[in-house]
């Protein structure tokens, strides 16, 4: 079943790596919005719903109560996620260039 890995529930794992895997599954899910709405409706305090863990979901709930749409919140989360990936790629590229420069200076 989706979310089941090694007998544990991916969406309720306390391991950081599993949390990131669960959020990645959520990013590609067709019912992400509905899942997040459900979690806010029942005020679930555990697990990953709609791509958000407990603490970020409390922030989402506050923003939503203040009138912000969940669609906008999810879109911002997606934008931040892809910006982080781009930055990490830029950092990896810079590190590779630096390593090449260091190796070339020792030749």
């Amino acid at each position: 079943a989706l979310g089941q890995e090694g007998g544990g529930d991916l969406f309720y794992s306390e391991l950081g790596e599993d949390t990131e895997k669960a959020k990645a599954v959520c990013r590609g899910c067709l019912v992400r919005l509905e899942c997040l709405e459900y979690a806010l409706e029942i005020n679930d305090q555990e697990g990953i719903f709609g791509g958000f863990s407990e603490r970020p979901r409390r922030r989402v709930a506050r923003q939503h109560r203040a009138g912000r749409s969940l669609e906008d919140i999810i879109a911002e989360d997606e934008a931040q996620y892809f910006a982080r990936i781009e930055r990490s790629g830029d950092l990896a590229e810079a590190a590779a260039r630096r390593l090449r420069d260091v190796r070339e200076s020792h030749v």
Side-chain angles (χ1 to χ4, degrees):
L2 185 62
Q4 296 292 320
E5 290 202 357
D9 190 348
L10 182 63
F11 296 96
Y12 282 91
S13 175
E14 294 184 20
L15 300 175
E17 181 180 315
D18 285 349
T19 297
E20 291 309 311
K21 286 179 185 176
K23 289 178 181 180
V25 169
C26 292
R27 283 189 187 90
C29 184
L30 297 175
V31 294
R32 182 176 181 185
L33 173 64
E34 292 82 358
C35 182
L36 181 57
E37 287 174 333
Y38 174 74
L40 296 177
E41 181 182 312
I42 66 168
N43 196 28
D44 194 298
Q45 299 298 311
E46 298 178 13
I48 307 294
F49 285 87
F52 295 92
S53 56
E54 308 87 42
R55 187 172 292 150
R57 210 166 40 248
R58 288 193 295 266
R59 177 185 45 80
V60 167
R62 283 191 304 275
Q63 291 176 349
H64 187 57
R65 283 192 303 271
R68 190 150 184 231
S69 76
L70 292 178
E71 291 89 347
D72 287 347
I73 293 169
I74 288 172
E76 179 182 35
D77 178 66
E78 290 284 320
Q80 290 172 352
Y81 171 74
F82 288 112
R84 281 193 307 273
I85 288 176
E86 187 174 323
R87 280 192 306 273
S88 68
D90 290 345
L91 290 172
E93 186 178 312
R97 278 195 311 270
R98 175 74 176 126
L99 181 59
R100 274 194 313 273
D101 292 347
V102 167
R103 286 181 179 161
E104 289 173 3
S105 69
H106 286 83
V107 175

